[in-house]
Amino acid sequence: FLERTVGDRLRTHVLSATRGIVVLSQEGKVRWSQGGPGRKIPVSVIPQISPWPLADLPATLAVASDRPAFLFLGNLSPEKGLDTLLEAFARVLRTREDARLDLAGNPALLCEESRQWWASFRRTLETPPWQGRVRLAGYLPDGEIPAYAAREALPLFVFPMLQDRTASVSSPLLTAMYWGQAIITTPVRGHGEDIVHAQTGWLVPPRDPAALAEAMETLLRDPDLRQRLAAAARAHFLDHHTPEQVAGRMAAVYREMR
């Protein structure tokens, strides 16, 4: 937060009275260790907490389907890797003409450049091979996502985000981990710390549509692998991202600073 919102002088002033720094990932800890304040300040890693009340979501894995269908969840913007996703999905459609991709979220129309990108993206969806195979689902509140994915039979979550400055796990990724989709994502923003390749999900390089398409096809062909990845991701979530887990780690940090 300090890196993005305050100048160097104010940042230095704030850190002069700081006894400890909490970051959301090991990647964040490395950044502070390399470019942090002159004096040594303890840096603790506490994983990101669930962004919604767990009681509002189902307590069992939501999606058990062999349907060749994928869900993307998040702001619809180029930094989320949507251009890469469309190119990868076009490759999947060459062998799986019945495949489907749902894009859930609102476009991030923050500037003229983003508005132009969105208009071009919408036009692309209306052309072959994407026409009729990609659905814009609109914004889905967190509590409605599991029911939507189960109702629409969307067993795979794909989130090919590009690199950015935030060293935290994206909330949509935590959503998919909790309620049981097999996950395909990129090792950016600390994603690689929660999604271990072939254990809790499937990792692909950013901006690599061929690798993304191969991952999508691999998980489509192997339902046992999908179920294993989904179950492992949920177990990892419950071990690291629940309010109880995060509160306990935060309390330990405060005790160490007494």
Side-chain angles (χ1 to χ4, degrees), residues 150-162:
R151 182 178 67 249
E152 301 296 332
L154 304 171
L156 284 160
F157 180 85
V158 59
F159 196 73
M161 188 166 187
L162 310 182

Side-chain angles (χ1 to χ4, degrees), residues 58-61 176-180 200 229-239:
T60 58
L61 300 183
M177 290 174 67
Y178 177 72
W179 56 265
T200 55
L229 295 178
R234 180 182 172 85
H236 178 87
F237 176 96
L238 294 175
D239 285 342

Side-chain angles (χ1 to χ4, degrees), residues 39 86 96:
R39 68 184 181 90
L86 280 195
R96 298 298 301 264

Side-chain angles (χ1 to χ4, degrees), residues 65-77:
S65 170
D66 290 332
R67 187 180 186 187
F70 304 86
L71 173 66
F72 169 92
L73 173 66
N75 289 332
L76 304 182
S77 57

Side-chain angles (χ1 to χ4, degrees), residues 26-27 32-33 40 65-66 69 102 104 120 147 156 158 177 185 188 191 200 216 220 224 232 248 255-256 258:
Q26 291 292 338
E27 181 182 344
W32 277 101
S33 300
K40 186 172 180 60
S65 170
D66 290 332
D102 281 29
S120 175
L156 284 160
V158 59
M177 290 174 67
T185 190
V188 304
H191 291 178
T200 55
M216 295 165 77
L220 280 180
D224 291 338
R255 285 194 297 269
E256 292 173 1
R258 287 179 179 175

Side-chain angles (χ1 to χ4, degrees), residues 128-228:
W130 303 282
Q131 187 176 29
R133 308 312 310 169
V134 180
R135 174 188 293 185
L136 294 176
Y139 172 75
L140 295 176
D142 290 318
E144 296 180 11
I145 297 165
Y148 177 85
R151 182 178 67 249
E152 301 296 332
L154 304 171
L156 284 160
F157 180 85
V158 59
F159 196 73
M161 188 166 187
L162 310 182
Q163 185 67 55
D164 74 1
R165 295 182 61 190
T166 305
S168 63
V169 179
S170 300
S171 294
L173 203 67
L174 292 177
T175 302
M177 290 174 67
Y178 177 72
W179 56 265
Q181 274 186 310
I183 295 169
I184 303 170
T185 190
T186 52
V188 304
R189 285 191 65 167
H191 291 178
E193 296 172 30
D194 283 296
I195 303 302
V196 179
H197 182 66
Q199 296 182 34
T200 55
W202 210 263
L203 292 175
V204 297
R207 298 183 175 89
D208 191 334
L212 180 57
E214 182 179 357
M216 295 165 77
E217 291 169 347
T218 295
L219 268 64
L220 280 180
R221 290 192 300 264
D222 195 336
D224 291 338
L225 175 60
R226 291 200 305 269
Q227 293 178 14
R228 187 166 66 249

